[in-house]
Amino acid sequence: MGRALRSFAAYARPIQLQSTRSSSSCPFSKRQRSQIAPTAELNEEIFANARPYSEVPGPRPIPILGNTWRMVPVIGQFDISEFAKVTKQFLDTYGRIVRLGGLIGRPDLLFVYDADEIERMYRREGPTPFRPAMPCLVKYKSEVRKDFFGELPGVVGVHGDQWRRFRSKVQRPILQPQTVKKYVAPIELVTEDFIKYMVDARDENGDLPHEFDNDIHRWSLECIGRVALDVRLGCLSPQLNSNSEPQRIIDAAKFALRNVAVLELKAPYWRYIPTPLWSKYVNNMNFFVEICSRYINEALERLKTKKVTSENDLSLLERVLRSEGDPKIATIMALDLILVGIDTISMAVCSILYQAATRLEQQDKMAEEIRRVLPDPSKPLSYSDLDKLHYTKAFVREVFRMYSTVIGNGRTLQDDDVICGYHIPKGVQVVFPTIVTGNMEQFVSDPLEFKPERWLEGGGKLHPFASLPYGFGARICLGRRFADLEIQVLLAKLLSRYRLEYHHEPLDYAVTFMYAPDGPLRLRMIER
């Protein structure tokens, strides 16, 4: 992490690598459950007994620069790529609730490390919960391209009634299991092509190339394109070059997501002047809109001549086009699925495959289960077959628990609340650090042990709100069923025929926008 200038030394002392609290004063040494039932209404007595917001512990801001200086290179303390470690330091130093205020141009962040309080907040939220805003995406949709998005700007970076109206138009076809089942065969075909690509890409030792993480992005985009745009984009062609349209889409998605933290946590000059980073962000988003619009218009033309006898004949995209009659709605839906889905699913798969390659005992258990459920590898997959892969799904959940791809979820308070005994005012952005709570012994038995069986067996602690990779409630991830499908199909097809190993230096995890292995993912792929 960056070093602090001497002039800031007095203000830097609150942040330390080791806890400054003794075990007797640590809140978890005598942890109390929330005194408020999950669905109970707050009353005057609860507020009267709460401690003031000013007493919430956290790093002290300095005059003028607040806490924003802590994210500045060289002089700062926080490296955004190591923000998962920073959230753990907050817990060790301050306890179960931490206030990070004084961030120039944005509300305070409040980190909550108590799964009981997280459950209470989730269960009490209304029909239009506010996630912490993505100001850069909000500005793009509501100002830069208001001409295109208008009153239906989608679900990503959107809140309130606008979010509710748009989600109501697309959530039924996206979330129905019957819709997802239709895509088992298409995703299987994409995955078969990907595995053939992997086989050909190996070197003389059987190792996959340094840029294999980008190849996973190519597979992910091909899957999402098949679902959201009804096309095969050609991402898995061996002749793909850096100027090809699929690679440009991947690069644009990576840039758009991986620079969100930079645009939002550092000084927001881009709100007032077109900084180079902001200008490139806008160009990336314009490219997405152009691509999605073109493919949606092509799908609309195909639908005009398609013979349809029932709704089962329609793809997800065609159902949205037919029910809403507005291609712009389908375009924005596809844009949101691609924008969020490519990097999220790809980084999750990087983590899952790396953990499988370094945990051979558990990998062999998955392979054994897959061969038992699917004894004939040439037989097409079915949704019911995938549903029987209980240990394989448990392995994925355990990876998400220990190495959560999304380091946290959150909400922007719409009303005053009492959290961990403190009166928290409206407007504060509350962060639920899943990457930390999923690894706390207060909520999970033996959290440092990688144990997929914990998701299949009774006994032991496993708080349901300690690890929520897709969120919870009304704003749960819209594409989660498709994400699970893609991951399960890849593992079923790959591990039934190949064993993955890793014979290089261990990889650390780091945050881009997601939390994933940092470095060349040179997996060794060996026929079983």
Side-chain angles (χ1 to χ4, degrees), residues 282-312:
V282 170
N283 290 336
N284 269 271
M285 294 305 300
N286 286 340
F287 173 69
F288 270 123
V289 171
E290 175 191 340
I291 289 292
C292 292
S293 296
R294 171 157 55 87
Y295 282 113
I296 297 302
N297 288 334
E298 291 176 3
L300 187 60
E301 290 302 312
R302 292 194 299 269
L303 184 58
K304 290 178 181 178
T305 58
K306 183 174 183 175
K307 293 183 179 180
V308 179
T309 57
S310 73
E311 196 175 66
N312 289 332

Side-chain angles (χ1 to χ4, degrees), residues 363 366-367 370 490-498 500 528:
Q363 183 189 153
M366 284 193 284
I370 291 166
L490 177 60
L491 291 176
K493 302 299 292 186
L494 181 60
L495 298 185
S496 63
R497 288 173 282 179
Y498 298 93
L500 298 178
R528 288 188 180 274

Side-chain angles (χ1 to χ4, degrees), residues 27 224 251 300 316:
I224 295 173
D251 293 342
L300 187 60
L316 167 64

Side-chain angles (χ1 to χ4, degrees), residues 99-124:
R99 174 187 178 185
L100 182 61
L103 299 174
I104 296 174
R106 66 167 300 137
D108 289 359
L109 295 178
L110 189 77
F111 294 81
V112 176
Y113 300 87
D114 189 313
D116 295 320
E117 289 284 5
I118 293 170
E119 177 181 8
R120 182 185 66 79
M121 295 184 69
Y122 270 130
R123 291 196 183 282
R124 292 181 64 252

Side-chain angles (χ1 to χ4, degrees), residues 406-446:
V406 178
I407 64 173
N409 298 305
R411 293 292 185 264
T412 299
L413 293 185
Q414 299 306 293
D415 297 290
D416 284 18
D417 203 343
V418 174
I419 304 172
C420 297
Y422 293 92
H423 183 159
I424 311 300
K426 173 182 177 180
V428 169
Q429 293 186 351
V430 184
V431 180
F432 310 139
T434 301
I435 188 62
V436 178
T437 56
N439 287 278
M440 292 172 62
E441 62 182 9
Q442 288 79 14
F443 309 121
V444 181
S445 297
D446 302 316

Side-chain angles (χ1 to χ4, degrees), residues 4 35 98 180 383 469:
Q35 298 303 303
V98 181
V180 180
Y383 194 80

